[in-house]
Amino acid sequence: MLQLRPMELDEFQKYISFAVNEYAEEKIQAGTWQKNDALANSEQTYKRLLPNGLETSGNYFYSIYDGSNIIGYIWVGNDNENESNAFIFDFEIYKQYQNNGFGSKAIILAEKEAKNMGFSSIGLHVFGSNQRAIHVYQKCGYGITDIKMQKEL
C-alpha cells in the first residue's frame, strides 16, 4: 500500500544532496541556464526557497513508501504567488518503480494532504520535454495554465 510519510532529517539530507544537481541539469537541458552557472543558480534557488532546510515553514517533504521501500519523494509547499494554493516543488518516483501507477497514486495522496492542510488548489511546474510527467499530471486532472516556448538559433 502506497503511503506518504514525512521525511526524516537523514532522508532530507540525501534528497538535497542530489536534488540541487538534478535541478541544475534539468535547467541546462531546458536551455534556461548555461552549464557554467547552473549549479550556483540551483544552489541559490534552494537556499532562497528553503532557508531553514527541512524546517522551513510552509514546506512539506514526504518520502513515498510502497510497503517498507522508499520509492520516491514529493515536496509540497505554499505557492509563492498565492498562499491559499499548494505547489508541488519537486516530485519523483525512482526509475526502477516507474510504470507501475505509483506516480498517479502519489499525486492523489499529496492532493489529499494539501486539501487537509486547507489549500484550495494545487499546482506544479513540468519541463516541456518531460512527456512522462506531463502524461501522469494530465491523467490526474492537471490542466495547462501557461506555456513558455523557446527556439534554438
Side-chain angles (χ1 to χ4, degrees):
M1 182 172 141
L2 207 66
Q3 293 181 321
L4 299 185
R5 296 185 196 162
M7 237 183 228
E8 300 289 333
L9 182 57
D10 65 322
E11 293 170 338
F12 178 78
Q13 290 169 336
K14 287 178 190 173
Y15 162 73
I16 286 296
S17 72
F18 67 82
V20 170
N21 289 325
E22 189 173 271
Y23 186 59
E25 284 300 318
E26 289 172 335
K27 295 293 264 183
I28 291 167
Q29 289 174 6
T32 309
W33 290 345
Q34 296 296 315
K35 187 172 182 139
N36 57 335
D37 299 327
L39 187 57
N41 289 347
S42 184
E43 289 170 348
Q44 188 175 46
T45 298
Y46 272 80
K47 284 178 186 172
R48 179 179 47 81
L49 293 173
L50 299 170
N52 298 315
L54 183 61
E55 301 302 320
T56 303
S57 68
N59 291 275
Y60 312 94
F61 292 87
Y62 300 95
S63 294
I64 304 167
Y65 279 83
D66 180 37
S68 61
N69 296 322
I70 297 178
I71 65 164
Y73 58 82
I74 192 162
W75 167 17
V76 178
N78 294 340
D79 187 310
N80 294 331
E81 296 177 0
N82 183 341
E83 294 231 348
S84 68
N85 298 335
F87 192 82
I88 298 172
F89 285 90
D90 202 1
F91 169 56
E92 183 174 359
I93 299 296
Y94 301 136
K95 199 163 239 15
Q96 65 268 35
Y97 299 105
Q98 292 177 2
N99 297 318
N100 292 301
F102 293 133
S104 299
K105 291 175 185 170
I107 290 288
I108 291 167
L109 291 173
E111 291 168 354
K112 288 179 183 176
E113 287 286 323
K115 186 172 184 173
N116 289 339
M117 287 186 266
F119 290 107
S120 59
S121 71
I122 190 166
L124 53 84
H125 168 270
V126 61
F127 288 102
S129 62
N130 193 343
Q131 293 301 313
R132 175 189 303 272
I134 292 169
H135 171 76
V136 170
Y137 300 140
Q138 287 178 328
K139 190 168 106 179
C140 290
Y142 287 72
I144 295 171
T145 58
D146 53 20
I147 297 174
K148 178 180 178 183
M149 299 177 80
Q150 180 171 313
K151 179 181 178 181
E152 293 298 319
L153 301 177

